[in-house]
Amino acid sequence: MTALPSHGSVRVSTSCLYRSQVLPFLAPLTTIRRASGLSKSLKNSKNSKTREAPTKKTKVRTEFKRDDLKNAMQFSLCDAMRYIRAFEVGRLPTSSKYELHVSLKTLKNGPVVRNRLRLSNPVDTSQRICVICPPGSQIAAAAIRAGASLVGEETVFDAVKEGRIEFKRCICHTDSLQKLIKANLGRILGPKGLMPSTKTGTVVKDVATSVRNMIGGSEYRERLGVVRMAVGQLGFTPEQMQQNIKEFMGGLKKDIALLSEKISKEIHEVVLSSTNSPGFTLNGDFKSPTSVSTRELAVV
């Protein structure tokens, strides 16, 4: 009889069999496991780095951003009017308006400048003004003589409620203020900027004087650090434009000076444009050595 192999020899033969036949099949699986483990460790290390990296806080800008004017093209008033009129060729002298844009260096959340100004050379003389006052009274008669197009109380209230708002400005006499409040017209006139109030100076005792000041007057208000107002018609001469611009800038500077000392507002840039033209930055001069004569600009 042949002797059986010992247990030690069986262990050796099975280990040899495992190495020669099984290991080659398991080798790719082990490499895949190692690679996946490596990728996970790399991802974890990247995530830990991103988590540990301090985030940079962005500074919140408290003032409106303004461009540097050192290299900007600037024009005299006559030159700017000449170029603007090239964009308005073929239009009626009263159809297009000159507009002045004053850019301010100011805080975003600060108080705004707002006022109404009557220029020496009125821009819009076709404004329809409504006066809320007792009908048939001397106040109503004086308002009509001053140029008011609509006068009364209940008739005005009914027309507004029906949607017939045929006026651009609205004034209320102090005696009719309580009736105006009871009529509850704020939700209709308020969004249009027509609701009379003491803050805007449209609730007055002397109605006739207010109407005369409003006819031909212009209102300006600061929005996003810029004050805009129409300062002339296309048919205005350079001298008329110069006078209106001086009055507007003088009134604006007075309004800025009336603000608190803690509030700083500085004029950064003054731009002249029209209804259909781009803006031209003014340098403060009336004419330049290469400007055309004012007689040529006086004719449209």
Side-chain angles (χ1 to χ4, degrees), residues 43-260:
K43 284 181 181 179
N44 293 331
S45 62
K46 286 181 180 179
N47 292 333
S48 63
K49 286 180 181 178
T50 53
R51 288 173 186 172
E52 292 175 359
T55 55
K56 294 183 179 179
K57 294 183 179 179
T58 56
K59 294 183 179 179
V60 179
R61 189 182 294 274
T62 58
E63 294 185 356
F64 292 102
K65 187 178 180 180
R66 296 291 178 249
D67 297 329
D68 190 5
L69 301 178
K70 290 182 179 179
N71 300 322
M73 293 183 65
Q74 300 184 3
F75 304 85
S76 64
L77 177 61
C78 291
D79 291 340
M81 289 179 65
R82 178 188 176 188
Y83 296 137
I84 287 172
R85 287 188 176 183
F87 287 90
E88 301 286 354
V89 173
R91 300 186 182 275
L92 295 174
T94 56
S95 63
S96 299
K97 304 290 189 295
Y98 287 108
E99 295 179 355
L100 204 68
H101 310 255
V102 182
S103 176
L104 303 175
K105 288 183 177 179
T106 179
L107 296 174
K108 288 183 177 180
N109 57 353
V112 298
V113 179
R114 180 180 180 181
N115 205 343
R116 185 170 182 83
L117 183 67
R118 180 179 171 85
L119 300 173
S120 299
N121 304 288
V123 180
D124 187 8
T125 57
S126 62
Q127 289 192 17
R128 292 178 59 85
I129 300 174
C130 170
V131 176
I132 300 174
C133 64
S137 62
Q138 294 181 356
I139 299 170
I144 292 172
R145 286 195 300 269
S149 58
L150 183 61
V151 175
E153 289 178 341
E154 297 298 332
T155 55
V156 175
F157 301 157
D158 294 339
V160 171
K161 289 177 181 177
E162 292 174 3
R164 293 184 287 108
I165 303 174
E166 300 174 350
F167 50 87
K168 294 184 178 179
R169 300 287 299 172
C170 187
I171 302 173
C172 180
H173 192 265
T174 52
D175 295 341
S176 302
L177 181 59
Q178 293 301 322
K179 291 185 179 180
L180 175 63
I181 295 171
K182 289 180 181 179
N184 195 20
L185 300 180
R187 56 187 179 83
I188 302 173
L189 298 178
K192 299 179 183 296
L194 298 175
M195 186 64 183
S197 66
T198 54
K199 290 182 179 180
T200 56
T202 49
V203 177
V204 295
K205 291 184 178 180
D206 191 355
V207 172
T209 303
S210 299
V211 171
R212 281 192 291 268
N213 291 335
M214 279 189 176
I215 294 176
S218 300
E219 185 177 351
Y220 60 87
R221 181 179 180 179
E222 177 188 348
R223 287 184 175 87
L224 299 177
V226 180
V227 181
R228 300 175 179 86
M229 196 180 83
V231 292
Q233 297 179 2
L234 191 63
F236 280 12
T237 63
E239 288 79 11
Q240 289 176 315
M241 287 289 297
Q242 184 185 32
Q243 187 177 9
N244 280 3
I245 290 173
K246 281 184 177 181
E247 291 176 0
F248 170 59
M249 295 301 297
L252 180 61
K253 289 178 181 178
K254 286 181 181 178
D255 292 336
I256 293 174
L258 291 175
L259 297 174
S260 174

Side-chain angles (χ1 to χ4, degrees), residues 25-43:
F25 294 101
L26 294 178
L29 294 175
T30 54
T31 53
I32 290 170
R33 287 176 182 173
R34 288 174 184 174
S36 62
L38 251 152
S39 62
K40 286 180 182 178
S41 62
L42 286 172
K43 284 181 181 179

